[in-house]
Amino acid sequence: MKKYVIIAFAVFGLFACTEPNVPTPAVSVEAVSLDRETLQLAVGASVTLVATVEPKNAATVEWSSSNPAVAVVVNGQVTGIADGVAVVAAAAGSKVATCVVTVGNAGGQSGQGGTTTSFEQYLEGSDYYIFLMDDKALSRIKGTVHDYRINGDYASPGNPGEGVTCTMDIWNGDVTDANFGTCKGASAFGDTDVEWMYWKSGSLAWGNICGGIRQWGECDFTGVTEDYDFIIIYRTPRRLAGTSVSVRLFSTTGGEHAVNSGMISQSHGEWDVAEWSMAEWFADGLDWSQTIVGSQSNVVYTPALVVEGGGRELEICAIFCYKK
């Protein structure tokens, strides 16, 4: 009798402890990110990008390059092949993260602390108010463009000629040896044979030299909201101690709004970028809520620049306000 009881218990235990073979549900990838958004490489050099998938190990990462002739990627290791720009992508599930890779002398780079900047990203926004930019770069913008570029001569403050909506003004007290005009060469965006503004303050009779992009004709900046950024792409050709540039914007009502942010420290002769949030400037009281028509009494600058000290050099490739 005991024999049968033991057998029954063993069989019952076998069925009670065995679970059906149910497949494990797939885990969806919520996000994938890279440790760098931009990368500057010399030809032949390699850098390994690190991809992070959330949740961890939800999917393997698949790597690709938009231009293998410029840069190749294998398991995250990016190698420069030839001068140019390529976009390296890391895909996991339905999520993708990208890094803009600039190889050799294509694009621009910053000398600030050895960091690098790909200026191509500044042409990929959705909406632009352009105050200074060459035609080649302007033609590559993918978003909507409101063109308020200089269409008058570089000049001292005064009434412009007929049909002029925007001029570059300069005023400098007793300074007689200031150099103000344009340079020609390769821009921060990698375009060749283009012009940009050149400014050398010379020996000063007083503390600074001033100038700016002055809006004369009817200009409408009312579409600029807090989610826009203000960009100035510049360089200081020589490593001059004490170079300092403050930036000022004027309200459309004619009142001056000073933003003394010390834009320029040193770019070590390389193109660099200064970027501000319009939300910060609006919070400080900047008023662009009205369509403007500049005049002698209603002075509107976008921006005004103040270079502190003599013998200072400043080149500006582009000035614009854009929405990413």
Side-chain angles (χ1 to χ4, degrees):
M1 183 67 180
K2 290 182 180 179
K3 180 178 179 181
Y4 292 105
V5 170
I6 293 171
I7 293 173
F9 180 79
V11 173
F12 174 79
L14 176 64
F15 283 98
C17 296
T18 303
E19 296 181 357
N21 186 18
V22 179
T24 302
V27 179
S28 298
V29 176
E30 296 177 1
V32 60
S33 61
L34 291 173
D35 60 333
R36 304 181 68 160
E37 295 182 350
T38 62
L39 178 63
Q40 179 90 28
L41 284 177
V43 174
S46 296
V47 169
T48 299
L49 298 175
V50 178
T52 301
V53 178
E54 298 178 4
K56 186 177 181 181
N57 299 326
T60 58
V61 175
E62 296 183 1
W63 296 89
S64 63
S65 170
S66 66
N67 193 348
V70 170
V72 296
V73 59
V74 178
N75 295 328
Q77 185 182 65
V78 183
T79 302
I81 304 300
D83 285 6
V85 178
V87 178
V88 169
S94 61
K95 305 297 183 181
V96 179
T98 60
C99 175
V100 178
V101 180
T102 304
V103 180
N105 294 319
Q109 74 175 33
S110 163
Q112 300 281 3
T115 60
T116 59
T117 302
S118 172
F119 296 97
E120 295 288 328
Q121 61 184 305
Y122 293 105
L123 302 178
E124 297 177 353
S126 61
D127 197 56
Y128 288 79
Y129 290 77
I130 306 292
F131 308 117
L132 186 70
M133 183 178 287
D134 67 85
D135 289 336
K136 288 185 179 180
L138 189 73
S139 69
R140 291 158 57 193
I141 288 177
K142 298 177 174 60
T144 302
V145 172
H146 310 274
D147 192 351
Y148 294 108
R149 292 183 298 170
I150 297 167
N151 66 337
D153 292 333
Y154 296 92
S156 297
N159 292 314
E162 184 177 355
V164 172
T165 61
C166 182
T167 63
M168 175 61 77
D169 290 349
I170 183 170
W171 62 102
N172 50 41
D174 296 328
V175 176
T176 57
D177 58 351
N179 185 337
F180 192 68
T182 58
C183 283
K184 195 171 188 178
S187 74
F189 302 109
D191 296 318
T192 58
D193 197 31
V194 296
E195 290 188 346
W196 59 84
M197 187 186 80
Y198 173 81
W199 193 350
K200 182 177 179 179
S201 59
S203 59
L204 301 182
W206 46 289
N208 55 47
I209 183 171
C210 308
I213 298 177
R214 183 167 181 171
Q215 306 295 334
W216 285 98
E218 184 171 303
C219 301
D220 186 355
F221 309 137
T222 59
V224 178
T225 56
E226 293 183 349
D227 52 350
Y228 285 67
D229 287 343
F230 197 88
I231 306 294
I232 300 180
I233 296 175
Y234 70 92
R235 71 182 180 188
T236 50
R238 294 183 294 150
R239 298 181 64 175
L240 299 174
T243 297
S244 176
V245 178
S246 59
V247 180
R248 301 179 182 182
L249 293 186
F250 284 39
S251 293
T252 54
T253 55
E256 180 177 350
H257 174 65
V259 181
N260 296 316
S261 56
M263 180 187 80
I264 303 296
S265 53
Q266 289 291 338
S267 74
H268 298 193
E270 303 289 351
W271 290 114
D272 207 342
V273 61
E275 183 170 0
W276 297 271
S277 166
M278 293 304 300
E280 296 176 4
W281 281 2
F282 289 148
D284 287 341
L286 179 65
D287 182 2
W288 278 7
S289 63
Q290 302 178 33
T291 300
I292 66 155
V293 178
S295 65
Q296 288 287 5
S297 59
N298 184 29
V299 180
V300 180
Y301 284 96
T302 52
L305 305 171
V306 181
V307 179
E308 307 286 348
R312 307 299 185 231
E313 297 186 11
L314 171 65
E315 297 179 13
I316 296 182
C317 174
I319 301 176
F320 56 93
C321 187
Y322 86 124
K323 184 177 181 180
K324 295 181 181 179

